[in-house]
Amino acid sequence: MNLINLAEKKLDARGEYIGGSDYKIFLDAAGLMQTSFIDYFKKITPELKDKKTGIIVIERVVTELKGLTFNKKSDISTRAKAALDLIKDGIKNGVIVSMESTGGKQKADAIFEAIFTRFRGRYNLALITTDGNLTKSILALNTSDAV
């Protein structure tokens, strides 16, 4: 599991940290479909509640997971259903929020790149994923001079 923290602490004009401990943690479908993530999520749920923070799941990830529930490989279908149940329970318990994702038919990876490009200077952003290519794309944003 890769945890990508894109924002280094930056000072604003008053000398205060931008974002502070206000992390925005995103989950992608690959991370959600790992069976070990369910146990991990259960362990961190109390801390998420204590810190009054949560995990953000973009709608495109939910759409992708729904599509995977029809996969002919039963293992993939089962893990996609478990991920959707986890999202539903997380929303019910107030530790997962759903974020509408604009971008039409774009894949979730492209939407993550757009979100992280737009908000990386304003918030401490993190992405939980097992997708190596997505990890590289998001980390490459750190080397970009454009904000």
Side-chain angles (χ1 to χ4, degrees):
M1 196 96 30
N2 302 321
L3 180 63
I4 304 169
N5 182 0
L6 282 184
E8 295 176 13
K9 296 212 181 245
K10 298 176 184 176
L11 297 176
D12 67 10
R14 296 177 304 223
E16 296 176 351
Y17 284 110
I18 298 171
S21 63
D22 186 25
Y23 281 88
K24 307 295 182 201
I25 304 169
F26 292 84
L27 266 175
D28 82 328
L32 278 162
M33 288 186 56
Q34 296 300 311
T35 53
S36 61
F37 182 76
I38 293 173
D39 293 332
Y40 174 71
F41 183 75
K42 288 177 183 175
K43 287 180 184 177
I44 66 170
T45 295
E47 188 173 343
L48 293 172
K49 284 184 176 182
D50 288 346
K51 294 190 179 213
K52 295 184 170 92
T53 190
I55 294 177
I56 302 164
V57 176
I58 61 173
E59 282 297 322
R60 193 61 171 138
V61 166
V62 173
T63 301
E64 289 179 7
L65 288 169
K66 285 179 181 177
L68 289 171
T69 63
F70 298 105
N71 192 293
K72 292 180 182 178
K73 294 181 181 176
S74 65
D75 180 50
I76 292 173
S77 176
T78 301
R79 290 188 291 143
K81 289 174 186 172
L84 289 168
D85 288 342
L86 180 76
I87 292 169
K88 187 171 112 181
D89 290 344
I91 290 171
K92 179 180 166 188
N93 291 318
V95 292
I96 291 180
V97 294
S98 178
M99 177 180 168
E100 188 175 320
S101 49
T102 58
K105 299 285 182 186
Q106 284 184 323
K107 290 189 174 208
D109 292 11
I111 295 169
F112 282 125
E113 289 176 17
I115 291 169
F116 278 61
T117 298
R118 182 172 179 195
F119 296 109
R120 69 188 170 126
R122 197 177 318 168
Y123 300 105
N124 291 313
L125 301 177
L127 175 64
I128 298 174
T129 183
T130 57
D131 182 331
N133 290 329
L134 177 58
T135 299
K136 289 175 186 173
S137 294
I138 297 296
L139 286 173
L141 296 174
N142 274 347
T143 59
S144 170
D145 291 333
V147 176

